[in-house]
Structures are given as structure tokens and as C-alpha cells.
Amino acid sequence: MVDVSGMIYNANRPKLLSVGENPVSLLHEKLEMAAKDRTVMAVILRINSPGGTVTATDAMYRQVMRFKRKTGKPVLALMMDVAASGGYYLACSADAIMAYPTTVTGSIGVLVQTVSLKPALSRIGIQAETFTSGPNKDAGSLFSTLTNEHRTVLQQLVNDFYKQFVDVVRQQRGGISEDHFETVTDGRVLSGAQALEMGLVDEIGDLY
């Protein structure tokens, strides 16, 4: 049993009185232990995550794929409360995916969020000056205003990451019909029962 819980990112999770664990490193360590243990016949990847950063999610996906190639041991993904966005991306690394009927999953997509403080600062008399090496270096900066060129650059980035996500789903989830594929990859969330109907998961069940 390997648990992946909470946000997925490549950094130590902060704790009240200690430094938390890094989800990417923790998964690597657990898979290494499972690979070396001859009594382990298979791995249940128990996922309870709303997603996280693109690179950390992809790194964990690659770790599971490498584990399967190296050991030949099957991996089953079990979705708990939430396995959405990057949580679903990671689940796609498994040989089969099981969900509870009330699991929230899907949310297949990528977003980049920007916030600008420049208008608020101007209203109180503060002016921020930024010197850049190129016209797009400050795209998304708190102290700049997005231009149309900035928007194009960021949208291209999102489109590139989204294509990678969709390619993984198409490759690993061959049971999704073409009639449903565009629907399930438009960013919507689904219940476990809906995900089964659409082909995102293989079975409705529980840990036992």
C-alpha cells in the first residue's frame, strides 16, 4: 500500500513543529522498498489528491511506470475522496483504476493563475518599475499588467502541458470512447460512478 495524499509538489510539506516530507521523494522511497521486497506481489496506489504542479505530477507518474517496467509487479490505483487533475494523471500510471462511487475525479486540464498588484499600488501612489531582458520576461509578474503578447505566451504554455496530459490519458485509458473523450478532457469533475460510465476508471469498489 502506497499512499499519495494532499497537494502534489516537489518540496517538503510544512508541518507545525517539523519539516514535512516531499511527496515525490516519498513515493520514490516506497516504490524502491516494494521493488526490493520479494513478498510484495503488487502495489495499491491509494490516491487522495486534488492535483498539484505539472512537473512533480509527471515525475511521480514516471516513477510508477519505471517501477512496473523494472519489477513486472502490477499497480492498482485506488481513488479515495478526490483524485482529480494531477491526482488522475498519476492514477493513469496504474494497470487498473478503481474508485468509490463518491470519489471526485476528472478535472483533466491545466491552469496558470496570475494576479497583478499594479492597479492597486497605483491607487495608493506606489509605482513599481521593472527592468527586463526581454518583452515577455515579466509575463505574470505581480507588478506588471498582462499584455496580449504575455497572454499568448502563457496560453501556449498551458496548451503544451494540456496536450501532454491528454496524450497520457489517451495512451493509458484506451477504454474511453471517442464520443466521450472530448467531454471528459474538458476540465470537468466527475463522480466515481460517472467516471466508470465514461471509461476513466475500470471498476467501482473499495479497499477490500
Side-chain angles (χ1 to χ4, degrees):
M1 184 87 69
V2 175
D3 282 303
V4 177
S5 301
M7 291 293 294
I8 297 172
Y9 51 87
N10 189 25
N12 290 343
R13 289 185 179 135
K15 288 188 175 181
L16 184 61
L17 298 175
S18 64
V19 176
E21 293 169 321
N22 181 313
V24 178
S25 299
L26 187 60
L27 178 63
H28 174 75
E29 292 170 7
K30 289 184 175 181
L31 290 178
E32 283 293 300
M33 291 173 61
K36 294 174 182 177
D37 190 339
R38 294 183 179 180
T39 65
V40 173
M41 298 291 102
V43 168
I44 297 174
L45 189 64
R46 188 164 56 178
I47 302 172
N48 194 16
S49 170
T53 65
V54 173
T55 302
T57 302
D58 187 54
M60 294 171 77
Y61 170 88
R62 290 168 182 265
Q63 286 176 10
V64 177
M65 298 297 288
R66 190 177 297 112
F67 168 84
K68 294 195 303 179
R69 288 195 304 269
K70 178 182 174 182
T71 67
K73 297 178 181 183
V75 175
L76 170 68
L78 174 64
M79 296 178 170
M80 302 303 292
D81 298 275
V82 179
S85 192
Y88 184 74
Y89 189 116
L90 178 57
C92 286
S93 65
D95 296 292
I97 302 176
M98 180 175 287
Y100 286 80
T102 52
T103 297
V104 175
T105 187
S107 190
I108 296 169
V110 178
L111 64 85
V112 170
Q113 189 107 36
T114 67
V115 175
S116 176
L117 298 178
K118 191 171 183 178
L121 293 176
S122 297
R123 279 195 289 270
I124 59 175
I126 298 175
Q127 182 175 344
E129 295 271 357
T130 303
F131 299 91
T132 68
S133 56
N136 294 308
K137 178 61 179 173
D138 62 342
S141 167
L142 287 172
F143 303 107
S144 69
T145 301
L146 280 179
T147 66
N148 288 334
E149 189 175 3
H150 290 168
R151 290 185 175 91
T152 299
V153 169
L154 294 176
Q155 187 61 56
Q156 288 173 343
L157 186 69
V158 168
N159 292 347
D160 184 45
F161 291 157
Y162 175 63
K163 181 181 181 302
Q164 179 177 327
F165 197 161
V166 168
D167 287 346
V168 165
V169 175
R170 191 181 293 279
Q171 178 182 352
Q172 300 298 115
R173 301 300 307 168
I176 303 174
S177 70
E178 283 301 318
D179 292 341
H180 290 152
F181 195 83
E182 188 173 340
T183 300
V184 300
T185 57
D186 71 356
R188 71 185 63 198
V189 292
L190 303 164
S191 69
Q194 291 171 325
L196 177 65
E197 182 180 344
M198 295 288 193
L200 270 69
V201 305
D202 298 292
E203 193 174 344
I204 296 297
D206 56 34
L207 177 60
Y208 294 97

